[in-house]
Amino acid sequence: MNWRGTQAQSRTRYLAKFDAAEAERYDALVGGLDREDEDAYLSDLVQALPIPAGSVVLDAGAGTGTLTRILARMPGLSITALEPAPAMLARLLGKRELLGVATVEGFCDGSDDRRHFAEGQFDVIVSRQLVNGLFDPLAAFRNWHHWLRPGGAAVVIDGLYGRSAWSGIWQEEVDVLPLAACQSTAMVPYLMEVAGFRVEVVRCMEAVNARPATVSTRYIVVARK
Ligand SMILES: C[S@@+](CC[C@H](N)C(=O)[O-])C[C@H]1O[C@@H](n2cnc3c(N)ncnc32)[C@H](O)[C@@H]1O
């Protein structure tokens, strides 16, 4: 039984949904954190994983650059943003503070995607609100493992979303994407272990979850190659 269609079909739907209008809506409603919200992400992130100056960092599923902006506030990082939707990437590229960021247009959860980067290219791979939308989370984690240098770290930031978080044009995806409505912080670290990582941190994000703008509880996972 083909219970959810193919990855190619999922990607075609995904890219059609993230058109210019949806990218603008996302950037205004979800992507546009104010300075205090950014501060909260920065604080929870560096407590979970200090990222030293000079680190080579990938923001996977960078979207309009919300997490990229937070990374860009850390001194001395060399940042690459990977994002498949041209309209999302265009908004990221339009942000003055992200002029120094390298960009690659592409997905990260297929075996063909491994060609985007070299083995061991990154010290750190970070993602925010990506894993709930992955068609093949294990393939993504395996690619990340390949792209990280030995001792490098992957960071997942996501929310404990329920089915009702998937509404409108996104509702049809909830039974296609394995992590779409995960109510446990255990699934992501479990899958990262299966992909070869050693999990170091799994916790709810204290500062972020204390912010009035945070609707669904956010958690962070740090896993080491
Ligand atoms: C909910 S947005 C989050 C964007 C950004 N990280 C943020 O914090 O606002 C998810 C992004 O991941 C991208 N994306 C979806 N599937 C992906 C995949 N398989 N590989 C890489 N990026 C993907 C989408 O195009 C979208 O821009």
Side-chain angles (χ1 to χ4, degrees), residues 14 26 61-63 66 83-84 88 107-109 128-130 134:
Y14 215 100
Y26 182 88
T66 308
E83 166 56 42
M88 299 290 269
F107 290 88
C108 72
D109 62 341
R128 174 183 175 266
Q129 290 181 210
L130 167 69
L134 291 175

Side-chain angles (χ1 to χ4, degrees), residues 7 11 14-15 18 26 30-31 59-67 82-85 88 106-109 113 127-130 132-135:
Q7 185 168 44
R11 288 184 173 190
Y14 215 100
L15 293 179
F18 266 131
Y26 182 88
V30 192
D59 180 2
T64 58
T66 308
L67 178 59
L82 174 68
E83 166 56 42
M88 299 290 269
F107 290 88
C108 72
D109 62 341
D113 300 326
S127 75
R128 174 183 175 266
Q129 290 181 210
L130 167 69
N132 66 81
L134 291 175
F135 186 88

Side-chain angles (χ1 to χ4, degrees), residues 143-218:
N143 283 340
W144 296 4
H145 194 272
H146 182 79
W147 295 333
L148 281 170
R149 65 160 170 82
V155 181
V156 169
I157 294 171
D158 216 277
L160 298 176
Y161 300 111
R163 295 181 69 82
S164 61
W166 294 77
S167 58
I169 57 171
W170 297 101
Q171 193 175 3
E172 63 178 334
E173 308 296 345
V174 73
D175 293 311
V176 172
L177 307 171
L179 296 174
C182 199
Q183 290 282 298
S184 166
T185 62
M187 183 57 89
V188 167
Y190 167 72
L191 293 175
M192 294 182 92
E193 279 181 352
V194 172
F197 286 96
R198 182 169 42 82
V199 173
E200 290 187 343
V201 175
V202 184
R203 68 167 77 122
C204 289
M205 300 181 77
E206 206 177 319
V208 170
N209 290 328
R211 296 290 307 153
T214 303
V215 180
S216 305
T217 301
R218 303 301 157 102

